[in-house]
Amino acid sequence: MAKPISIEVWNPSGKYRVVSTKSMPGTRWIRLLTDNDCRLEICTEAKTILSVDDILALIGDRCDAVIGQLTEDWGEVLFSALKRAGGTAFSNMAVGYNNVDVEAANRNGIAVGNTPGVLTETTAELAASLSLAAARRIVEADQFMRAGLYEGWLPHLFVGNLLKGQTVGVIGAGRIGSAYARMMIEGFKMNLIYYDLYQATRLEKFVTAYGQFLKANGEQPVTWKRAATMEDVLREADVISLHPVLDKTTYHLINPERLAIMKKEAVLVNASRGPVIDEVALVEHLKANPMFRVGLDVFEDEPYMKPGLADMKNAVVVPHIASASKWTREGMATLAALNVLGNIKGYPVWGNPNQVEPFLNESATPPPACPSIVNAKQLGLPSSKL
């Protein structure tokens, strides 16, 4: 017999049983479920990552929907168990769903939700923070101070890179990449070079307009360039931020050969997906190039780092916190809850999952729709006309 899983129960007499594998920020998501006749069970196990067996125990014999996390392995075993328990919906509290076997969900008729549209600015801000922290050696300097090593000002103490007037490179100029680019351009008057399969017209127009504004005020205008190849960005940029999707074509996008063509004092930032960087090669490059710096929010084998990375003073590493602003995390919890609630209630799927503001307005009732279901088309779910 499986070991019992500790839970916290809200609205015990609710008609629909919804399980959340983790406690999530805020309380609105709880109210939305319990006010709509859901019995909500929140796992309170003191484990960072639940196993498949743990989640099977949570699902039990009857379960209408589950809200899960990107650290969990959602495949045939869990989706078939959820189907047997009468469930029809699962939502990641994340925009990414690399942890989800969508085909397995399709086979079992389970709608898979995610939470886009609420992470753009927060993730871009974290990438910008990593860029500045790495360029100006902030973490090194902080550790130096805390160790009591500061004896007075010195000309060469923690000399880093000036960002103003340098070139920022963006690989993947979608919503987050473009938001990051705007922050770096407007904040530090950096020039832009970007690579994307699609032209970032709005971003180009912004840089052009901002450049004209600077020129009109007697300052050096900023410029933009759409690179023909990714290698052009790596060669030319002083700060490079990665914002691609993760698929077979972007696995180890940054490899030994591409690291070798970057500037010796470049800053590389990754707040997208860990496996886009060959982390072993990165460690070797950091060792060989002490003025090359990196800021990482994600890792190839999360939650672990490749051997040697933690020892690199020219690496700033944080534990996957790009979305960790209060507003964003509470919004993600709300969207995940509304994904499963909408499916339980038979609501259609929202027409544009990247425009979710109506669901986040706490002073209004959310639209009767599922904010984002990634396999809606495969399951034949109707689209909202709102």
Side-chain angles (χ1 to χ4, degrees):
M1 180 178 293
K3 177 185 174 183
I5 300 293
S6 60
I7 59 171
E8 177 184 13
V9 180
W10 294 76
N11 192 29
S13 61
K15 178 180 178 181
Y16 308 103
R17 181 172 179 260
V18 176
V19 168
S20 178
T21 62
K22 290 290 179 186
S23 173
M24 299 189 295
T27 57
R28 184 175 182 235
W29 71 277
I30 296 174
R31 294 196 307 272
L32 286 168
L33 291 170
T34 55
D35 287 352
N36 283 276
D37 208 12
C38 292
R39 171 191 169 99
L40 174 62
E41 298 182 11
I42 303 172
C43 179
T44 56
E45 285 287 308
K47 295 176 68 174
T48 301
I49 300 175
L50 296 184
S51 68
V52 169
D53 286 342
D54 291 332
I55 300 172
L56 285 173
L58 286 170
I59 291 172
D61 297 327
R62 190 187 75 78
C63 182
D64 293 284
V66 177
I67 300 170
Q69 304 297 323
L70 55 80
T71 54
E72 300 158 2
D73 183 12
W74 279 84
E76 179 65 33
V77 173
L78 290 180
F79 284 125
S80 60
L82 184 54
K83 179 183 179 181
R84 288 193 300 272
T88 58
F90 163 80
S91 185
N92 247 8
M93 185 198 153
V95 63
Y97 47 95
N98 298 105
N99 63 309
V100 178
D101 184 343
V102 179
E103 289 302 316
N106 293 340
R107 287 193 298 271
N108 288 282
I110 305 295
V112 174
N114 68 335
T115 62
V118 72
L119 297 94
T120 300
E121 300 297 328
T122 285
T123 303
E125 285 181 3
L126 193 278
S129 300
L130 288 173
S131 301
L132 187 59
R136 296 302 304 270
R137 305 175 66 179
I138 290 172
V139 174
E140 287 180 80
D142 177 88
Q143 293 172 342
F144 182 85
M145 285 294 295
R146 292 176 190 276
L149 300 175
Y150 181 55
E151 297 178 349
W153 185 90
L154 288 170
H156 295 289
L157 190 62
F158 295 109
V159 173
N161 298 359
L162 179 71
L163 296 181
K164 183 178 184 295
Q166 302 302 302
T167 298
V168 61
V170 173
I171 295 176
R175 293 183 308 279
I176 295 172
S178 290
Y180 166 82
R182 290 182 57 156
M183 291 175 188
M184 301 303 288
I185 294 161
E186 196 169 12
F188 301 105
K189 298 182 176 65
M190 300 185 78
N191 299 307
L192 170 68
I193 181 171
Y194 80 92
Y195 176 78
D196 198 292
L197 296 177
Y198 303 96
Q199 185 174 6
T201 305
R202 291 182 62 188
L203 177 59
E204 292 174 1
K205 289 180 178 178
F206 168 80
V207 181
T208 299
Y210 187 53
Q212 293 170 346
F213 168 80
L214 292 174
K215 186 176 181 180
N217 285 273
E219 296 189 61
Q220 180 70 27
V222 293
T223 63
W224 64 266
K225 174 183 176 182
R226 183 186 178 192
T229 68
M230 189 188 322
E231 284 73 14
D232 290 339
V233 176
L234 298 177
R235 288 190 190 95
E236 296 182 30
D238 301 289
V239 179
I240 298 127
S241 190
L242 306 175
H243 300 278
V245 297
L246 176 62
D247 57 24
K248 292 179 181 178
T249 68
T250 59
Y251 176 79
H252 281 188
L253 193 72
I254 302 300
N255 55 27
E257 294 74 26
R258 286 180 170 142
L259 285 166
I261 66 175
M262 296 175 66
K263 294 180 179 181
K264 295 298 183 183
E265 295 186 2
V267 172
L268 177 65
V269 172
N270 186 18
S272 61
R273 295 289 182 269
V276 303
I277 295 180
D278 179 344
E279 210 166 287
V280 171
L282 177 63
V283 171
E284 293 306 310
H285 192 75
L286 289 167
K287 289 179 181 177
N289 299 275
M291 294 309 294
F292 182 93
R293 288 185 280 276
V294 65
L296 302 176
D297 179 56
V298 289
F299 306 90
E300 189 170 351
D301 296 319
E302 269 185 48
Y304 308 106
M305 292 187 287
K306 294 295 186 183
L309 181 58
D311 300 323
M312 295 295 99
K313 291 184 178 180
N314 46 344
V316 178
V317 291
V318 295
H320 205 146
I321 58 170
S323 66
S325 68
K326 183 176 183 292
W327 181 85
T328 293
R329 288 282 173 90
E330 290 184 1
M332 292 166 68
T334 293
L335 294 175
L338 290 173
N339 278 333
V340 299
L341 177 63
N343 183 269
I344 289 171
K345 294 288 190 178
Y347 293 159
V349 179
W350 191 243
N352 188 343
N354 293 309
Q355 294 182 353
V356 294
E357 290 81 2
F359 296 97
L360 304 177
N361 183 357
E362 296 196 24
S363 62
T365 302
C370 303
S372 179
I373 302 296
V374 302
N375 58 343
K377 184 176 180 180
Q378 293 92 327
L379 296 182
L381 300 178
S383 296
S384 172
K385 304 301 181 183
L386 296 174

